Amino acid sequence: QSALTQPASVSGSPGQSITISCTGTTSDIGYYDYVSWYQQRPGTAPKLIIYEVTNRPSGISNRFSGSKSGNTASLTISGLQVDDEGDYYCKSYTRSTTYVFGTGTVVTVL
Amino acid sequence: EVQLEESGGDLIQPGGSLRLSCAASGFTFSNYWMHWVRQAPGKGLVWVARIKGDGSIIRYAESVKGRFAISRDNAKSSLFLQMNSLRDEDTAIYYCARASVDGSGTFYDFWGQGTLVTVSS
């Protein structure tokens, strides 16, 4: 199972919106609405920010939103803040009943 | 308060074996699927294995199948990962993660802080 494809880095100025894509196949993202997104700051464990494509856990800002079209899922961060800097990973359930993570995206606030 | 605490990471020679543990507290451990996820230094997250709450269903990533074994002891609220025939590329921080019981259960609502496994001669 190959990793889902994400851009290596995305940057934006404070207040702007950015979108991170996550491309898979018809056997994972394209088949299930079971995409989740995680934020990881340096030296810490990942943190769930989006689950089942569009849902936010309690306590997660509504500046984070998720969507999906075909084999590609996307995470949008609106009103970008310095605190949003970090690494972001998508994850999908697969038809093999396993899971696959994305390659990861470094978000930088300019 | 939900807590997951991994232990057992060490420096081990290629071909060696190691057993990781994850001590859980603050929730009914047997109700949850548990997973292992690893992250090589400076690299991305990689899913390793998962086990159902009662231990009846287990799945592995192809890269570890036949070498690693996930297990659990619900009486002790503990998750394990037995790693055999270790390779240089198994070097990573190993996280245990709890899969949520909400919705599809396909996402992690809690993670441990990880334990470092270094495979090197």
Side-chain angles (χ1 to χ4, degrees):
Chain A
Q1 180 77 49
S2 298
L4 307 173
T5 301
Q6 298 180 231
S9 64
V10 173
S11 62
S13 300
Q16 286 187 329
S17 293
I18 62 171
T19 297
I20 302 168
S21 62
C22 171
T23 301
T25 70
T26 53
S27 294
D28 38 65
I29 293 177
Y31 197 84
Y32 296 106
D33 286 337
Y34 295 154
V35 177
S36 48
W37 290 88
Y38 301 85
Q39 177 194 63
Q40 186 180 33
R41 295 195 174 99
T44 69
K47 173 185 174 182
L48 177 70
I49 55 172
I50 293 287
Y51 66 95
E52 293 170 358
V53 179
T54 61
N55 298 319
R56 274 188 315 276
S58 82
I60 298 300
S61 170
N62 59 10
R63 298 185 300 104
F64 293 90
S65 62
S67 63
K68 191 188 92 166
S69 177
N71 298 337
T72 299
S74 298
L75 172 71
T76 297
I77 308 175
S78 58
L80 199 61
Q81 299 178 359
V82 172
D83 191 51
D84 297 332
E85 286 196 332
D87 299 336
Y88 289 78
Y89 295 91
C90 56
K91 178 173 73 68
S92 177
Y93 185 61
T94 81
R95 293 189 66 187
S96 302
T97 68
T98 60
Y99 287 83
V100 60
F101 279 95
T103 50
T105 298
V106 178
V107 169
T108 303
V109 181
L110 303 171
Chain B
E1 178 193 7
V2 172
Q3 290 193 333
L4 299 171
E5 184 172 358
E6 302 91 339
S7 61
D10 205 348
L11 171 62
I12 188 82
Q13 291 191 339
S17 298
L18 203 59
R19 189 191 196 208
L20 304 183
S21 300
C22 171
S25 60
F27 63 101
T28 304
F29 184 67
S30 59
N31 289 349
Y32 291 82
W33 283 84
M34 296 296 296
H35 296 229
W36 286 100
V37 175
R38 69 184 181 183
Q39 186 170 36
K43 303 296 184 182
L45 301 171
V46 176
W47 178 79
V48 173
R50 66 181 177 127
I51 183 169
K52 193 177 179 180
D54 63 3
S56 62
I57 299 176
I58 287 173
R59 296 287 185 267
Y60 297 99
E62 284 298 323
S63 59
V64 307
K65 197 177 290 186
R67 299 188 300 123
F68 290 11
I70 188 172
S71 63
R72 63 193 298 158
D73 182 340
N74 287 343
K76 296 182 178 179
S77 295
S78 294
L79 175 72
F80 305 102
L81 186 67
Q82 177 66 44
M83 304 186 295
N84 300 325
S85 302
L86 282 162
R87 306 166 179 168
D88 290 353
E89 56 264 35
D90 295 318
T91 294
I93 296 172
Y94 285 74
Y95 295 100
C96 64
R98 188 184 86 166
S100 175
V101 293
D102 294 333
S104 63
T106 60
F107 50 97
Y108 306 141
D109 54 3
F110 285 94
W111 297 67
Q113 287 307 303
T115 187
L116 177 62
V117 173
T118 303
V119 184
S120 175
S121 53

